């Protein structure tokens, strides 16, 4: 394992990247038993949380922060696994609406359980106050970056 003790200005970016990378690796490991990846789990969770809304691939692009070709590939895989259905959008012939299949919906409890376990692992050894501080700091980081020019 490499050292992350550096306190230079760019070390924050390096540490955030390392934490993100490790959490994705761990999430993929936990989700492997269900035959899905963390990206697929995030899409399933997003669709479940927004089941009363009209969701298309552009919404998934924005949610995951990935390109259209990447979402297209992801959706092909998920349709092939019978996790998601693509339905023609009657208001836009060029677009498809996305919805969960029964199988995709059935995985929701498994996803919540895996994400809960990962959350516990991520915050192991932190006090309740430190966990709240972590959430507050992450919210501030997200807000700072959301308001920055891209």
């Amino acid at each position: 394992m490499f050292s992350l003790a550096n306190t230079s200005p760019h070390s924050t970016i390096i540490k955030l990247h390392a934490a993100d990378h490790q959490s994705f690796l761990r999430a993929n490991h936990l989700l492997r038993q269900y035959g899905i990846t963390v990206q697929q789990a995030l899409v399933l969770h997003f669709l479940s949380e927004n089941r009363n809304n009209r969701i298309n691939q552009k919404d998934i692009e924005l949610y995951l922060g990935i390109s259209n070709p990447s979402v297209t590939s992801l959706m092909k895989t998920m349709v092939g696994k019978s996790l998601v259905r693509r339905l023609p959008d009657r208001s836009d012939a060029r677009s498809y609406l996305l919805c969960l299949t029964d199988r995709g919906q059935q995985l929701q409890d498994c996803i919540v359980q895996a994400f809960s376990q990962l959350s516990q692992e991520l915050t192991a050894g932190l006090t309740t106050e430190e966990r709240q501080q972590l959430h507050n700091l992450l919210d501030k980081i997200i807000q700072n970056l959301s308001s920055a020019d891209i």
Side-chain angles (χ1 to χ4, degrees):
M1 181 77 175
F2 55 90
S3 171
L4 295 175
N6 188 343
T7 58
S8 64
H10 64 277
S11 68
T12 301
I13 302 303
I14 293 167
K15 288 180 181 185
L16 279 172
H17 170 71
D20 177 60
H21 181 71
Q22 290 299 316
S23 66
F24 263 63
L25 288 175
R26 183 64 180 143
N28 277 324
H29 176 77
L30 293 171
L31 294 164
R32 187 176 302 134
Q33 63 187 315
Y34 308 113
I36 60 174
T37 66
V38 68
Q39 275 194 328
Q40 292 167 358
L42 290 169
V43 169
L44 293 174
H45 184 71
F46 181 76
L47 290 174
S48 179
E49 291 292 308
N50 291 281
R51 65 182 151 269
N52 296 326
N53 299 320
R54 298 167 51 87
I55 303 298
N56 60 31
Q57 284 192 196
K58 185 68 173 174
D59 297 316
I60 302 297
E61 289 173 36
L62 295 171
Y63 175 66
L64 293 179
I66 60 177
S67 68
N68 178 278
S70 295
V71 172
T72 298
S73 176
L74 181 60
M75 290 303 103
K76 281 184 181 179
T77 300
M78 294 181 75
V79 168
K81 290 182 174 185
S82 299
L83 299 171
V84 172
R85 277 195 320 268
R86 291 175 43 170
L87 306 170
D89 184 349
R90 293 183 182 152
S91 65
D92 183 354
R94 301 165 297 161
S95 184
Y96 288 92
L97 298 177
L98 304 170
C99 63
L100 291 175
T101 62
D102 289 341
R103 183 168 186 269
Q105 185 61 47
Q106 290 168 356
L107 285 174
Q108 289 309 301
D109 289 340
C110 302
I111 292 167
V112 168
Q113 181 181 356
F115 285 176
S116 177
Q117 180 178 341
L118 179 57
S119 182
Q120 289 174 2
E121 291 175 10
L122 287 169
T123 59
L126 298 181
T127 65
T128 301
E129 183 179 304
E130 289 170 329
R131 289 176 193 207
Q132 188 58 54
Q133 286 175 339
L134 176 61
H135 282 271
N136 293 342
L137 292 171
L138 290 171
D139 286 343
K140 285 182 180 183
I141 290 169
I142 292 166
Q143 181 60 44
N144 289 344
L145 294 176
S146 295
S147 62
D149 291 334
I150 296 179

